[in-house]
Coordinates of all heavy atoms in Angstrom, one line a residue:
R27 N -8.8 10.8 -6.1 CA -8.2 9.8 -7.0 C -7.2 9.0 -6.2 O -6.7 9.4 -5.2 CB -7.5 10.5 -8.2 CG -6.3 11.3 -7.8 CD -5.5 11.8 -9.1 NE -4.4 12.6 -8.7 CZ -3.2 12.1 -8.5 NH1 -3.0 10.7 -8.6 NH2 -2.1 12.8 -8.2
S28 N -6.9 7.8 -6.8 CA -5.9 7.0 -6.2 C -4.5 7.5 -6.4 O -4.2 8.1 -7.5 CB -5.9 5.6 -6.8 OG -7.2 5.0 -6.7
P29 N -3.6 7.3 -5.4 CA -2.2 7.8 -5.6 C -1.4 6.9 -6.6 O -1.8 5.7 -6.7 CB -1.6 7.8 -4.2 CG -2.4 6.6 -3.6 CD -3.8 6.7 -4.1
S30 N -0.4 7.4 -7.2 CA 0.5 6.6 -8.0 C 1.6 6.1 -7.0 O 1.7 6.5 -5.9 CB 1.2 7.5 -9.1 OG 2.0 8.5 -8.4
V31 N 2.4 5.1 -7.5 CA 3.5 4.6 -6.7 C 4.4 5.7 -6.4 O 4.9 5.8 -5.2 CB 4.2 3.5 -7.5 CG1 5.5 3.1 -6.8 CG2 3.3 2.3 -7.7
E32 N 4.7 6.7 -7.3 CA 5.5 7.8 -7.0 C 4.9 8.7 -5.9 O 5.7 9.1 -5.0 CB 5.8 8.7 -8.2 CG 6.7 9.8 -8.0 CD 7.0 10.6 -9.2 OE1 6.4 10.3 -10.3 OE2 7.7 11.6 -9.1
D33 N 3.6 8.9 -5.9 CA 3.0 9.7 -4.8 C 3.2 9.0 -3.5 O 3.5 9.6 -2.5 CB 1.4 9.8 -5.1 CG 1.1 10.6 -6.3 OD1 1.8 11.6 -6.6 OD2 0.1 10.3 -6.9
I34 N 3.0 7.7 -3.5 CA 3.2 6.9 -2.2 C 4.6 7.0 -1.8 O 4.9 7.2 -0.5 CB 2.7 5.5 -2.4 CG1 1.2 5.4 -2.7 CG2 3.0 4.6 -1.1 CD1 0.8 4.0 -3.2
C35 N 5.6 6.8 -2.6 CA 7.0 7.0 -2.3 C 7.3 8.3 -1.6 O 7.9 8.3 -0.5 CB 7.9 6.9 -3.5 SG 8.3 5.2 -4.1
N36 N 6.9 9.4 -2.2 CA 7.1 10.7 -1.7 C 6.3 10.9 -0.4 O 6.8 11.6 0.5 CB 6.7 11.7 -2.7 CG 7.6 11.8 -3.9 OD1 8.7 11.4 -3.9 ND2 7.0 12.1 -5.1
G37 N 5.1 10.4 -0.3 CA 4.3 10.6 0.8 C 4.7 9.9 2.1 O 4.4 10.4 3.2
V38 N 5.3 8.7 2.0 CA 5.7 8.0 3.2 C 7.2 7.9 3.3 O 7.7 7.3 4.3 CB 5.1 6.5 3.1 CG1 3.6 6.5 3.1 CG2 5.7 5.7 2.0
G39 N 7.9 8.5 2.5 CA 9.4 8.7 2.6 C 10.2 7.4 2.2 O 11.3 7.2 2.7
L40 N 9.6 6.7 1.3 CA 10.4 5.6 0.7 C 11.0 6.0 -0.6 O 10.5 6.8 -1.3 CB 9.5 4.4 0.5 CG 8.9 3.7 1.7 CD1 7.8 2.7 1.3 CD2 10.0 3.0 2.5
R41 N 12.3 5.5 -0.8 CA 13.0 5.9 -2.0 C 12.7 5.0 -3.2 O 12.9 5.4 -4.3 CB 14.5 5.9 -1.8 CG 14.9 7.0 -0.8 CD 16.4 7.0 -0.7 NE 16.7 7.5 0.6 CZ 17.9 7.5 1.1 NH1 18.9 7.0 0.4 NH2 18.2 7.9 2.3
S42 N 12.4 3.7 -2.9 CA 12.3 2.7 -4.0 C 10.9 2.4 -4.3 O 10.1 1.9 -3.4 CB 13.0 1.5 -3.5 OG 12.8 0.4 -4.4
P43 N 10.5 2.6 -5.6 CA 9.1 2.1 -6.0 C 8.9 0.6 -5.8 O 7.8 0.2 -5.5 CB 9.1 2.5 -7.5 CG 10.1 3.5 -7.7 CD 11.2 3.3 -6.7
S44 N 10.0 -0.2 -5.9 CA 9.8 -1.6 -5.7 C 9.4 -1.9 -4.3 O 8.7 -2.9 -4.0 CB 11.0 -2.4 -6.1 OG 12.1 -2.0 -5.4
V45 N 9.9 -1.2 -3.3 CA 9.5 -1.4 -1.9 C 8.0 -1.0 -1.7 O 7.3 -1.8 -1.0 CB 10.4 -0.6 -0.9 CG1 9.9 -0.6 0.5 CG2 11.8 -1.0 -1.0
V46 N 7.6 0.0 -2.4 CA 6.1 0.4 -2.3 C 5.3 -0.7 -2.9 O 4.3 -1.1 -2.3 CB 5.8 1.7 -3.0 CG1 4.4 2.0 -3.1 CG2 6.5 2.9 -2.2
I47 N 5.7 -1.2 -4.0 CA 5.0 -2.3 -4.7 C 5.0 -3.5 -3.8 O 3.9 -4.2 -3.7 CB 5.6 -2.6 -6.1 CG1 5.3 -1.4 -7.0 CG2 5.1 -3.9 -6.7 CD1 6.1 -1.4 -8.3
F48 N 6.0 -3.9 -3.2 CA 6.1 -5.0 -2.2 C 5.0 -4.8 -1.2 O 4.2 -5.8 -0.9 CB 7.5 -5.1 -1.6 CG 7.5 -6.1 -0.4 CD1 7.5 -7.4 -0.6 CD2 7.4 -5.5 0.9 CE1 7.5 -8.3 0.5 CE2 7.4 -6.4 2.0 CZ 7.5 -7.7 1.8
H49 N 5.0 -3.7 -0.6 CA 4.0 -3.4 0.5 C 2.6 -3.5 0.0 O 1.6 -4.0 0.6 CB 4.3 -2.1 1.2 CG 5.5 -2.1 2.1 ND1 5.5 -3.0 3.2 CD2 6.6 -1.5 2.1 CE1 6.7 -2.9 3.8 NE2 7.4 -1.9 3.1

Side-chain angles (χ1 to χ4, degrees):
R27 69 172 179 86
S28 301
S30 66
V31 171
E32 183 179 359
D33 292 329
I34 297 169
C35 279
N36 294 332
V38 301
L40 292 171
R41 292 185 210 170
S42 172
S44 63
V45 173
V46 170
I47 292 167
F48 166 81
H49 287 299

